[in-house]
Amino acid sequence: MRCVIARFPFDFTKFEVEHSMEGIKPEAVTGVSVTIGRRTFPVMQVGEIITRQNRRDFTVGEVRRALTRLGFTCHDAPPAPPAAPASPASPADQPAPWQVTGVNWD
């Protein structure tokens, strides 16, 4: 299948992409990912390997579109972990009710 990534035409087949990713250790997934075989790779890592270009030269959308057209399953970015609720200050950190702070008596 012919696709254009970073203004360059490429002819890929699903088998070629699978073969290119054999023996490659998947990086940690923080954004859009793709399942190739039984492993999940970041889309940008796959794009860099199959095009032999720097990741700054193409976008996630270009590679995702090409991989989807080849029949791979792409996944959106994992949801951000929920923010931890702010813990209330411990009583030792707060002044006693009879203490006046910020007053200069001199």
Side-chain angles (χ1 to χ4, degrees):
M1 180 199 71
R2 180 172 283 266
C3 59
V4 176
I5 298 174
R7 299 183 315 242
F8 290 99
F10 293 94
D11 288 315
F12 295 124
T13 64
K14 187 172 183 174
F15 175 77
E16 290 172 336
V17 173
E18 290 170 340
H19 184 68
S20 296
M21 297 310 293
E22 286 179 4
I24 304 293
K25 182 180 176 186
E27 296 173 359
V29 175
T30 58
V32 179
S33 61
V34 60
T35 301
I36 299 176
R38 287 187 246 163
R39 297 182 295 173
T40 302
F41 293 91
V43 168
M44 295 299 278
Q45 180 185 13
V46 175
E48 183 177 46
I49 291 170
I50 65 174
T51 66
R52 295 184 178 100
Q53 294 181 339
N54 193 310
R55 295 179 190 197
R56 293 175 291 185
D57 295 338
F58 52 84
T59 65
V60 170
E62 291 174 313
V63 179
R64 181 180 187 161
R65 191 169 27 256
L67 293 171
T68 301
R69 287 178 55 199
L70 285 170
F72 293 104
T73 303
C74 293
H75 313 279
D76 290 327
S87 62
S90 68
D93 295 338
Q94 297 179 2
W98 63 87
Q99 292 177 328
V100 178
T101 59
V103 177
N104 187 355
W105 296 100
D106 292 331

